[in-house]
Amino acid sequence: MHADIVFTGGTVRTGAADAPVHDALAVTGGRITALGAPALAARGPRTTVVDLAGGALLPAFGDGHVHPVMGGLGLAGVPVRDRGSVEEIVETVRAWAAEHPETEWITGDGFDPWLAPDGRFDARRLDAAVPDRPVVLRTMDHHTAWVNSEALRRAGYTACTPDPTGGEILRRDGSSEPLGTLREFGALGPVLALIPTASHEAQVAALREAAARFAAAGVTWVQDAWVEPHQADVWVTAATTEPGLPLRADLAFVLEPDGWRERLLRFTADREKVESSAPGLLTARSVKFFADGVIESGTAALLEPYTDCPHSHGIANWTPGELAEAVTAVDALGFRAHLHAIGDGGVRTALDAIEAAVGANGARDRRPVIAHAQLIDPTDLARFAALGVVANLQPLWAQPDPLMTELTLPRIGPERGGRQYQIAALLGSGARLSFGSDWPVTAHEPLRGIATAVTRQTPEGVPEGGWLPEERIDLDTALAAYSAGCAHQAFEEKEWGALRPGMRADLVHLAADPAETAPADLARLPVLGTWLAGRRTHDATTPRSTRAGRR
């Protein structure tokens, strides 16, 4: 039987330790059917031959923690991402508002939280640009918002407003007046609730734009780690109407402490709707929890106080007992817990909740996920493997960028600062690892994260030898975390994540073999093609495909 597609003319890296490299791969009916010489022999008159042109074919990437709808919608707001100063942001807001006089709420995502001293942004700076319409800008981590006075007024925030549960309203020095910086969702929520929700059609378009970007980066599966109740319908529409989606996804319904018990029935109904509407493409098997905030804002939960704020341990979004009860309830319904935990206190609370669920519901292969795990207490490191937890890390964060040097390290000091993003230590403990981007928080391209995991350096090559170099990992391990590791997280390791006969043909074509590429150049290695079950979803080449009988 002749193959539908044969890839040749380059290196085929299977991701398998026993036979990692071949020179050809054949695909029939969306699945891999042969490698090496048998693949070349499978060519027939109707076979499409893809010339790898000296590049490499690898298992396609996954992304174990990402926000496609949110990120896609953020592309349509004020373009504040990558602005280099407060002044540049203000001028960008001023110009955008003038160009969009009909827009009532002016929003933007992705600016850097270190651009103002101590991450304190003043509403009066935005008032000078837009005094009469509300402005809401969210930092790249989405845990902090910079708002103008009109936004504060509409939310009812005054000098008499106390800090809400699970949030902080920063105040002016020497005053109780709100400054214009809101931290964590307890404080952001009343403002965000006032912003008109994007239409269903706009959200579908945003999701498709995001999915196309992931396909262009070689990604064929994502974990949507923050699905609001109405967004299940967004995914179903995008997946079941033309032109469809170029990737698979698992949806994680977000569960917040307030009224969480009442929401669970909807989750089970939405799971059934999603999986019956788009079988083989969409699953909805996860529930997302926020155990804490982020270190750069002083809101991640720490076991010991912050170095720069000795009275504060950060913000725990759930009490330990309530989180354990909620995770146990979710686990009993067959969902996988997916917990955001940044600080060592947040990580411990997340581990304790998972342990409670195991004790209550019995042993099984549940693969709960703790995402980020930036700071882990040494006594908790071995618990990841013991509890079967998948550590989903964002390798692009493991570098001494300004977020780290200007905000994070001053907040936690050198001892805790020296044990962040323990990728190698987690692997050495026996924990299962997957990688993700947390886009739109940071760049979505896996190769950028892989480069950082291997070097622990900034794009400029700083520091020499890498930051916390003992936590560097080798290239094969980093590639596997973005492919086989994500497949394991998805319970689909028998379907994708490696290139073996019988597995789905989820493939990525790189312009060069990453093993022959300098580590510093990995981030710039072009992705020339992506295939989802043998269907091409991205093509960055001048057409190279031919019919075997016409060569």
Side-chain angles (χ1 to χ4, degrees):
M1 181 178 181
H2 295 142
D4 297 332
I5 313 170
V6 169
F7 297 84
T8 186
T11 301
V12 177
R13 292 199 161 272
T14 66
D18 55 343
V21 178
H22 290 276
D23 60 357
L25 179 144
V27 175
T28 303
R31 293 193 177 263
I32 299 165
T33 50
L35 295 161
L40 293 173
R43 289 177 293 186
R46 296 185 178 277
T47 299
T48 297
V49 176
V50 178
D51 180 8
L52 297 175
L57 191 72
L58 285 79
F61 303 122
D63 192 308
H65 186 99
V66 68
H67 310 290
V69 179
M70 178 192 300
L73 289 172
L75 297 171
V78 184
V80 294
R81 185 179 292 271
D82 297 327
R83 295 300 186 264
S85 67
V86 167
E87 291 74 19
E88 285 186 36
I89 293 174
V90 170
E91 287 308 309
T92 300
V93 169
R94 187 196 310 275
W96 196 93
E99 294 169 2
H100 299 81
E102 76 292 347
T103 303
E104 181 184 8
W105 284 80
I106 297 166
T107 62
D109 289 341
F111 72 94
D112 295 325
W114 61 81
L115 295 179
D118 200 33
R120 294 172 57 87
F121 293 86
D122 196 322
R124 293 176 296 194
R125 301 297 300 272
L126 292 175
D127 294 345
V130 184
D132 56 346
R133 287 182 280 168
V135 179
V136 181
L137 309 177
R138 298 177 74 174
T139 53
M140 46 84 80
D141 58 23
H142 277 233
H143 287 256
T144 294
W146 177 18
V147 302
N148 69 349
S149 296
E150 179 62 13
L152 290 170
R153 184 190 69 79
R154 295 200 188 192
Y157 285 161
T158 70
C160 299
T161 305
D163 280 349
T165 301
E168 182 182 12
I169 305 167
L170 270 62
R171 315 288 173 163
R172 298 193 185 282
D173 292 337
S175 165
S176 58
E177 290 291 331
L179 173 67
T181 300
L182 307 175
R183 289 179 176 167
E184 291 308 321
F185 304 114
L188 272 63
V191 174
L192 299 180
L194 298 174
I195 300 173
T197 301
S199 69
H200 178 80
E201 293 74 17
Q203 292 185 69
V204 170
L207 173 56
R208 285 187 167 139
E209 171 63 23
R213 291 178 178 231
F214 276 92
V219 174
T220 58
W221 177 85
V222 298
Q223 174 73 69
D224 187 332
W226 188 342
V227 178
E228 299 285 354
H230 63 279
Q231 289 174 343
D233 292 331
V234 173
W235 275 99
V236 168
T237 298
T240 58
T241 60
E242 291 296 332
L245 285 173
L247 45 71
R248 301 183 191 89
D250 181 60
L251 313 188
F253 303 117
V254 65
L255 189 62
E256 297 169 327
D258 183 31
W260 65 266
R261 293 172 181 83
E262 292 74 20
R263 296 195 184 103
L264 292 185
L265 287 177
R266 171 153 190 174
F267 289 174
T268 56
D270 280 349
R271 175 175 58 186
E272 181 178 350
K273 175 173 59 178
V274 167
E275 298 193 357
S276 63
S277 298
L281 195 65
L282 299 183
T283 59
R285 301 172 185 172
S286 301
V287 172
K288 167 70 174 294
F289 300 84
F290 283 95
D292 62 353
V294 291
I295 292 175
E296 60 264 24
S297 295
T299 57
L302 301 183
L303 295 173
E304 299 296 329
Y306 278 85
T307 301
D308 67 336
C309 192
H311 68 276
S312 175
H313 288 256
I315 296 177
N317 291 322
W318 296 73
T319 65
E322 191 86 352
L323 182 62
E325 184 180 351
V327 170
T328 299
V330 160
D331 180 74
L333 292 172
F335 286 101
R336 178 170 54 249
H338 188 109
L339 298 107
H340 162 117
I342 292 274
D344 51 8
V347 170
R348 177 168 295 177
T349 300
L351 289 166
D352 289 346
I354 293 166
E355 188 170 39
V358 173
N361 299 329
R364 72 169 191 271
D365 185 8
R366 47 178 41 87
R367 304 184 196 181
V369 176
I370 293 181
H372 316 316
Q374 180 172 347
L375 187 62
I376 306 169
D377 187 81
T379 61
D380 289 324
L381 196 68
R383 297 178 69 196
F384 281 77
L387 292 168
V389 174
V390 176
N392 175 261
L393 302 184
Q394 287 57 54
L396 193 57
W397 300 359
Q399 58 172 296
D401 58 10
L403 182 71
M404 180 62 65
T405 59
E406 299 298 320
L407 292 180
T408 299
L409 289 174
R411 295 205 194 288
I412 59 175
E415 190 279 324
R416 289 179 292 189
R419 51 182 174 88
Q420 297 181 82
Y421 304 119
Q422 293 178 278
I423 299 175
L426 279 165
L427 286 167
S429 75
R432 298 301 297 256
L433 182 70
S434 68
F435 278 167
S437 65
D438 205 7
W439 185 81
V441 173
T442 42
H444 67 285
E445 297 93 343
L447 286 168
R448 294 178 62 172
I450 288 166
T452 307
V454 171
T455 66
R456 304 278 293 204
Q457 293 176 324
T458 67
E460 296 74 33
V462 176
E464 185 177 354
W467 174 68
L468 309 180
E470 67 278 7
E471 295 297 341
R472 292 178 302 185
I473 59 175
D474 63 61
L475 175 64
D476 285 343
T477 302
L479 289 168
Y482 253 125
S483 51
C486 288
H488 173 81
Q489 177 181 326
F491 280 86
E492 294 181 353
E493 67 274 18
K494 294 181 180 180
E495 290 291 315
W496 58 275
L499 305 185
R500 294 192 295 268
M503 299 187 79
R504 289 174 182 160
D506 286 8
L507 315 167
V508 59
H509 175 198
L510 305 180
D513 186 344
E516 303 298 328
T517 303
D521 294 333
L522 287 170
R524 297 183 293 275
L525 188 57
V527 174
L528 300 183
T530 308
W531 288 261
L532 177 72
R535 174 172 65 90
R536 190 158 197 160
T537 58
H538 169 65
D539 186 355
T541 67
T542 301
R544 299 178 182 274
S545 300
T546 62
R547 295 292 184 188
R550 300 179 189 173
R551 292 204 303 167

